[in-house]
Amino acid sequence: MSMIKTIWGFLFRLFPCPTALGLRRIGNPGRDSPVLVTCNFDLTVKRMRKALRGIDAWLLVAESKGVNVWCAAGAREFNTDSVVSAVKTSGIESLVDHRTLILPPLGAPGIRAADVAERTGWKTVWGPVRLEDIPRFLSARLVRSEDMKRATWNWKERLDTALGSLFPFYFAGALLLAFLGRSLLLEYLVVGAVVFVFFMLACPWIPTQHGLTKALVVCAVLGGGLAAARAVSAPLPAWLPSAVWIAMVLVVIYGTELGGLASTLASDLDPFLARLGIGAVGNVALAGTVRTELLNGYRLLTHTRERCDRCHGCIEVCPQRVWEVGRDDERSVFAHPEWCTACTACLMQCRSGAIQAHRVRAQAGARAPALRTG
């Protein structure tokens, strides 16, 4: 049963796969051992255990409705209340002498560190973005190097995203074709696998920042190539036109959902769902609909530097490092707007009100900028 749950959690991670809440012992933790917080997504907890192998630590599993840290925080399911509740109900206070919580930085869109500290009496520290950096972070006495703060999306992570998050679309298409007729099933299975690998590996080099526009670029190349071949009456295999159309459909599906899955890309699907008023399936909020509603043309984030109290919370949690410390007055500066993916982690952490969300009138065909400064 555990193996089935592991496979489900890996290949169908778009769907909730919860594990028990509460405190986990990693190794043989003592009263000085670190306390790390994570969500109750089964795969995440297992990967945390693997990352902490050989380390004595306490792992505090907080409520996220069985969804991973990034998606659950974006949907406000993994939030301040989740962490506070986990601290107060786990009994951890009687097991350690220190009062330091290590929070997952990709949970920043849902967790306000200052509020957790105020409500629990614990000091909060943001850990590294990547799990494999946790041992190095602990060895450095909870000090993050710059590379630990930045979200990456290397080829291994891209393939992991494809296999674990886009596989359900591929699987659903195979079931549909098997039910309707098997004439295109073989082409679909082969082309789908090739599209999986190619699109994810080539993604960083495809122009534009958004997954959907990347997909449209690929579709233009595929469709243009097919049209050019037909224009010159080049001999084509009978299966090729169908394969190209299948590839184009799959690329659009993958690209549309990609922004909601990768912390390095802005979402395309979530604003569309928010406009339709679709925010949840059952009792589980769709990942990202809350955070992207702020930026889809109905609301606008603004940054007023004069209000900045130099806490640098926005700098600490931004996975894209778009914020920098100002040279003149050490206030935060929105230095790289082109890197912003609208995760709203900065908005959640801002204590002074320097970063705020405002409702604005949507204009036909217009898209609000990610952030306005002033």
Side-chain angles (χ1 to χ4, degrees), residues 105-106 126-152 316 318-319 321:
L106 292 184
W126 295 107
V129 171
R130 295 174 299 278
L131 297 184
E132 58 266 28
D133 288 333
I134 290 178
R136 185 159 57 100
F137 167 74
L138 296 176
S139 298
R141 297 185 178 182
L142 311 189
V143 175
R144 294 192 300 172
S145 58
E146 286 302 313
D147 66 295
M148 293 184 192
K149 301 177 183 179
R150 181 76 180 266
T152 59
E316 285 299 307
C318 180
R321 314 303 297 149

Side-chain angles (χ1 to χ4, degrees), residues 5 8 12-21 38-45 61-69 71-73 75-79 81-83 279-287:
K5 190 174 184 179
W8 173 269
F12 294 89
R13 71 185 71 170
L14 283 179
F15 304 97
C17 187
T19 189
L21 304 176
T38 192
C39 63
N40 75 319
F41 181 52
D42 185 69
L43 182 63
T44 299
V45 173
V61 180
E63 177 67 75
S64 67
K65 293 192 175 179
V67 179
N68 68 75
V69 168
C71 294
R76 305 296 194 264
E77 301 290 4
F78 185 50
N79 53 42
D81 291 339
S82 301
V83 177
V281 175
N283 64 343
V284 179
L286 291 174

Side-chain angles (χ1 to χ4, degrees), residues 90-349:
S90 64
I92 185 62
E93 293 181 335
S94 64
L95 297 173
V96 295
D97 293 329
H98 65 86
R99 290 294 181 269
T100 301
L101 283 178
I102 301 172
L103 302 175
L106 292 184
I111 302 170
R112 177 169 288 172
D115 288 354
V116 172
E118 181 179 348
R119 292 169 59 183
T120 63
W122 286 60
K123 176 184 176 182
T124 55
V125 176
W126 295 107
V129 171
R130 295 174 299 278
L131 297 184
E132 58 266 28
D133 288 333
I134 290 178
R136 185 159 57 100
F137 167 74
L138 296 176
S139 298
R141 297 185 178 182
L142 311 189
V143 175
R144 294 192 300 172
S145 58
E146 286 302 313
D147 66 295
M148 293 184 192
K149 301 177 183 179
R150 181 76 180 266
T152 59
W153 207 36
N154 57 42
W155 69 270
K156 291 182 179 179
E157 293 165 336
R158 294 197 297 277
L159 285 181
D160 182 76
T161 300
L163 290 173
S165 300
L166 300 179
F167 178 81
F169 298 105
Y170 177 67
F171 183 72
L175 288 180
L176 181 63
L177 286 177
F179 177 76
L180 296 177
R182 300 181 180 180
S183 59
L184 295 177
L185 182 57
L186 180 59
E187 291 92 333
Y188 173 85
L189 293 175
V190 174
V191 172
V194 172
V195 169
F196 256 137
V197 176
F198 169 77
F199 187 60
M200 298 307 292
L201 290 182
C203 197
W205 295 279
I206 301 174
T208 80
Q209 185 183 8
H210 291 258
L212 178 57
T213 50
K214 288 176 180 288
L216 294 178
V217 169
V218 174
C219 287
V221 173
L222 291 175
L226 180 61
R230 284 178 167 173
V232 298
S233 301
L236 299 174
W239 55 267
L240 185 59
S242 298
V244 170
W245 281 106
I246 290 173
M248 291 170 66
V249 171
L250 288 175
V251 164
V252 169
I253 293 174
Y254 299 161
T256 301
E257 178 60 11
L258 202 56
L261 303 174
S263 57
T264 57
L265 293 175
S267 177
D268 298 294
L269 178 62
D270 295 336
F272 174 72
L273 294 175
R275 284 189 175 96
L276 295 179
I278 301 174
V281 175
N283 64 343
V284 179
L286 291 174
T289 52
V290 175
R291 58 184 169 86
T292 52
E293 185 183 7
L294 296 170
L295 304 158
N296 68 3
Y298 295 106
R299 293 184 183 179
L300 175 70
L301 286 184
T302 61
H303 178 230
T304 307
R305 287 197 67 203
E306 290 74 17
R307 294 182 182 176
C308 178
D309 63 0
R310 303 177 180 86
C311 76
H312 299 155
C314 52
I315 297 175
E316 285 299 307
V317 299
C318 180
Q320 296 305 309
R321 314 303 297 149
V322 303
W323 294 91
E324 291 182 358
V325 178
R327 296 180 180 179
D328 52 348
D329 56 7
E330 295 189 352
R331 288 187 170 97
S332 297
V333 177
F334 193 66
H336 302 285
E338 69 278 8
W339 296 346
C340 181
T341 61
C343 73
T344 70
C346 57
L347 174 66
M348 176 61 72
Q349 305 309 315

